[in-house]
């Protein structure tokens, strides 16, 4: 019985570790992404990449709804190995994500991190303050809203042994 408890605990620990490392996107969506399309190239000429599948992410600036769709303005950030937007003071610009139907603006809130896989729809000219700005438009196929990280660290910690953590 003791061996069975240990086996069960080991199995549960393994499942938890695998769940914590689960990818944010389906293999099908990731396989459709054209990784050679940089954000800088897209920003230069969004119409050239119309109907191509890309993956970009960043910080949500604002979200609003129009007839049967939701628009999200994103400040582009480089993605890390998990495809999560990095907390870097680096950005090559902004883009719009277009969703069909309603995405609640309280959930797609300013400051949240988002990564989107979608199809380039071209561009939309809008304003940043008083300046005209050409935003690439990406129609979302799949997206991931990232949970805020507590104290700048990962949400998942794994350790073996005894110790003390002081923050």
């Amino acid at each position: 019985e003791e061996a069975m408890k240990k086996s069960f605990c080991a199995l549960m620990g393994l499942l938890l570790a695998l769940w914590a490392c689960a990818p944010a996107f389906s293999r099908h969506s990731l396989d459709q992404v054209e990784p050679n399309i940089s954000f800088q190239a897209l920003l230069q000429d969004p119409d050239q990449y119309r109907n191509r599948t890309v993956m970009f992410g960043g910080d949500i600036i604002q979200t609003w709804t129009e007839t049967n769709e939701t628009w999200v303005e994103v400040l582009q950030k480089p993605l890390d190995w998990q495809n999560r937007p990095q907390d870097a003071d680096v950005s090559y610009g902004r883009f719009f994500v277009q969703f069909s139907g309603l995405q609640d603006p309280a959930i797609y809130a300013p400051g949240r991190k988002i990564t989107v896989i979608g199809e380039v729809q071209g561009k939309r000219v809008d304003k940043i303050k008083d300046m005209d700005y050409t935003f690439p438009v990406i129609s979302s196929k799949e997206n991931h809203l990232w949970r805020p990280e507590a104290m700048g660290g990962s949400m998942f910690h794994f350790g073996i042994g005894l110790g003390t953590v002081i923050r």
Side-chain angles (χ1 to χ4, degrees):
E1 188 175 320
E2 188 65 32
M4 198 155 151
K5 280 184 183 177
K6 284 182 180 179
S7 295
F8 178 76
C9 288
L11 179 62
M12 293 311 292
L14 179 62
L15 289 175
L16 179 64
L18 290 173
W19 173 78
C21 298
F25 295 97
S26 69
R27 173 60 40 209
H28 176 74
S29 291
L30 288 169
D31 287 344
Q32 293 180 353
V33 171
E34 296 185 48
N36 58 327
I37 301 173
S38 71
F39 186 76
Q40 297 93 312
L42 178 66
L43 198 56
Q44 288 288 310
D45 188 4
D47 289 327
Q48 177 183 340
Y49 299 101
R50 190 180 292 272
N51 300 321
R52 309 273 290 274
T53 300
V54 295
M55 175 168 57
F56 297 115
D59 299 334
I60 294 175
I61 295 174
Q62 63 174 327
T63 301
W64 70 97
T65 58
E66 294 181 2
T67 309
N68 295 324
E69 57 189 20
T70 303
W71 289 80
V72 178
E73 181 181 345
V74 179
L75 177 66
Q76 182 271 342
K77 297 282 185 152
L79 302 179
D80 67 13
W81 65 277
Q82 293 177 302
N83 298 318
R84 179 189 175 101
Q86 296 177 11
D87 282 325
D89 286 333
V90 175
S91 175
Y92 294 107
R94 299 180 182 194
F95 63 97
F96 286 146
V97 181
Q98 179 186 26
F99 294 92
S100 59
L102 174 68
Q103 304 298 322
D104 193 324
I107 294 172
Y108 288 77
R112 294 274 320 255
K113 293 188 180 308
I114 186 171
T115 304
V116 63
I117 293 176
E119 198 170 272
V120 177
Q121 298 299 306
K123 65 187 178 214
R124 178 172 172 167
V125 177
D126 212 320
K127 298 235 184 254
I128 296 179
K129 303 282 186 207
D130 296 327
M131 183 182 79
D132 283 341
Y133 187 85
T134 301
F135 292 83
V137 175
I138 299 170
S139 177
S140 177
K141 290 182 177 179
E142 195 173 335
N143 77 92
H144 187 82
L145 276 175
W146 298 91
R147 293 181 184 274
E149 287 188 342
M151 305 276 294
S154 171
M155 292 292 290
F156 179 74
H157 296 278
F158 180 76
I160 298 175
L162 300 172
T164 305
V165 175
I166 301 172
R167 290 192 190 243

